[in-house]
Amino acid sequence: MSALPLPAGDALLWRPEPYRIERVRRDLADTFSLDLVPAGGGAPLAFRPGQFNMLYAFGLGEVPISISGDAEAGGPLVHTIRAVGPVTEAMRGLRAGAVLGVRGPFGSHWPVVEAEGMDLVIIAGGVGLAPLRPAIYYALRHRRRFGRVCIFYGARTPDDLLYKAELKRWRGEFDLVVDVTVDRASHDWAGKVGVVTRLVEGGGYDPLHTVALVCGPEVMMRYAARALLARGVAREGIFLSLERNMKCAVGLCGHCQLGPHFVCKDGPVFRLDQVERLLAVDEL
Amino acid sequence: MGEITGLDRLLGEHPFFAGMPPDVAKLLAGCARNVVFEAGRYVFREGGAADQFYLLRHGTVTLEVRVPGREPLVVDTLQEGDVIGWSWLLPPYQWSMDARAQTLVRTLALDAVCLRGKLDAEPALGYELFRRFVPVMGRRLMAARLQLADLYARPSGGRG
Ligand SMILES: Cc1cc2nc3c(=O)[nH]c(=O)nc-3n(C[C@H](O)[C@H](O)[C@H](O)COP(=O)(O)OP(=O)(O)OC[C@H]3O[C@@H](n4cnc5c(N)ncnc54)[C@H](O)[C@@H]3O)c2cc1C
Ligand code: FES
């Protein structure tokens, strides 16, 4: 049975609710995390690992951002955002006390409850660790319900590694495999260098009893999926989180269409066999 | 003979040579020896003669590109179970990068001159070796291409 709270019903999904920024964390030069609490008091919305919210910067626009906090902690709603364009750049400039609009939560979730009893392999690239962090929190909270738990994380350089302090802590857990690699480094980096897909070869998990959750740039996910298949993980056990531009987030406007799917409603988390044919194509 | 038999066993235990026919393992063991590198020591240097290759048994080796006026750039790390170097297979038999022990490193070094002689005389040995090297080369080439593609650069994707 799921230990996770159920998200709110559809009625609340059209109107942005005002949320106050309780705390801003500067994660990387261009990436920051916002802790949000309802401006009018009360508990933040409930969500499942892998779901996203539409965050509205008043007067500027709305962007889909995954929820990166702990679904069971009951604390503020956490989002980790990389500043890439007008809306996310504006959000980078916000300080504690500022107010954002929040609509959500939307979309499908990582099958963490369904994966209980299996080995869990989590593969993240770059800021793709953010949408996976709630799944990691779930696995840590319910560690005994899983077999082996592996976290494979790749980033561009050591300076681009997200949540460094947490990664260190997770690495210290004796029943967790945490393997980190970067694409390039100078000599003072004592860790691994190479693409994240190579980590899939290690970890000691049992491919026949593995559920894999993958999030990162689309090309990286495609190669990670191939590496998992080559290790013998079943297509049905591989899940990816996809991104497409969004507007309504409730399956009406068609902005996020990917072949027969709406990413906002059928995704963002898909099983590999649902999307693998579409992934080879650039824009659909 | 005892040393050769021991090396023979170590070769057979290394993943790179998994499932190797025993007679081929014996031939290779004749060209192998144990070599240890302390942390920080070079395994080989760019431009040097590629007169051996190494099976990594313990530790981590970095592959580095020298960049004038800058710290060397680490482009790959190799771990226990990996093989280091294929420049010995093809003329001009010169290393194209630096390889350095990041930790204490234990290897089995296979002498290339000895091997090349045996490869000429024993086509079956050549086949066994190429059969193992080609997939490794393919995987590393693919990995290098992905690194070049700079997957995580902004703003190709919001999450990169
Ligand atoms: C379901 C979902 C979850 C997401 N989760 C996160 C998250 O947790 N953290 C985060 O930082 N970002 C996340 N994103 C991406 C985020 O929504 C975009 O970066 C944001 O919309 C950019 O808006 P902007 O106005 O700042 O820049 P824009 O001007 O809209 O975009 C700037 C540049 O980024 C590119 N871009 C924008 N959105 C995307 C996208 N979805 N995929 C690929 N390229 C894009 C544009 O082509 C452009 O080159 C998610 C997207 C989706 C669909
Ligand atoms: S964003 Fe409108 S249908 Fe998905």
Side-chain angles (χ1 to χ4, degrees), chain A residues 52 63-66 80-82 84-88 242-246 268, chain B residues 155-159:
Chain A
F52 68 95
V63 287
I65 302 290
S66 301
T80 301
I81 306 169
R82 188 184 197 192
V84 296
V87 178
T88 47
L242 297 184
E243 285 186 8
R244 286 296 179 271
N245 286 336
M246 290 185 181
Chain B
S156 62
R159 286 168 183 178

Side-chain angles (χ1 to χ4, degrees), chain A residues 30-32 50-54 60-68 78-91 106-107 127-128 130-131 163 215 218 241-246 256 263-264 267-269 283, chain B residues 154-160:
Chain A
D30 60 357
T31 306
F32 55 97
Q51 288 195 300
F52 68 95
N53 283 321
M54 295 299 284
L60 269 170
E62 209 181 26
V63 287
I65 302 290
S66 301
I67 307 166
S68 63
V78 186
H79 290 87
T80 301
I81 306 169
R82 188 184 197 192
V84 296
V87 178
T88 47
E89 276 293 356
M91 286 176 178
F106 296 111
V127 186
Y163 311 142
C215 188
E218 215 160 283
S241 181
L242 297 184
E243 285 186 8
R244 286 296 179 271
N245 286 336
M246 290 185 181
C256 65
V263 174
C264 66
V269 176
E283 278 294 336
Chain B
R154 59 176 293 195
S156 62
R159 286 168 183 178

